[in-house]
Amino acid sequence: MKILTGFAVIKDNVGNRITYSYSEVDGQGTITSSNNKESYIVLDDETKNLVTQLEAKIKERL
């Protein structure tokens, strides 16, 4: 099973990039792999909308 350990939205020259890290755990809870990292460029409208909402929420705190 993969467990999300962190994520970030980064403004990139090609758009918003979502980068995330995760650990892998077996059925008994033993960590088999950690600090794995992946990323992707946001292309779909649903995720773009979620990023916009998150940015608005953060701006409320500024």
Side-chain angles (χ1 to χ4, degrees):
M1 155 179 38
K2 293 180 181 179
I3 299 173
L4 182 67
T5 57
F7 71 93
V9 179
I10 301 166
K11 292 195 181 280
D12 200 308
N13 59 350
V14 294
N16 285 319
R17 176 185 302 262
I18 305 249
T19 182
Y20 57 95
S21 59
Y22 62 93
S23 293
E24 292 186 81
V25 179
D26 67 14
Q28 288 135 354
T30 303
I31 297 171
T32 58
S33 172
S34 64
N35 203 29
N36 301 301
K37 297 177 182 176
E38 296 186 25
S39 66
Y40 63 93
I41 300 298
V42 176
L43 298 175
D44 65 286
D45 289 336
E46 179 182 6
T47 307
K48 285 179 183 179
N49 186 37
L50 290 169
V51 169
T52 300
Q53 289 178 43
L54 183 57
E55 287 175 339
K57 190 56 109 172
I58 292 167
K59 286 177 184 176
E60 287 178 13
R61 294 182 57 102
L62 295 177

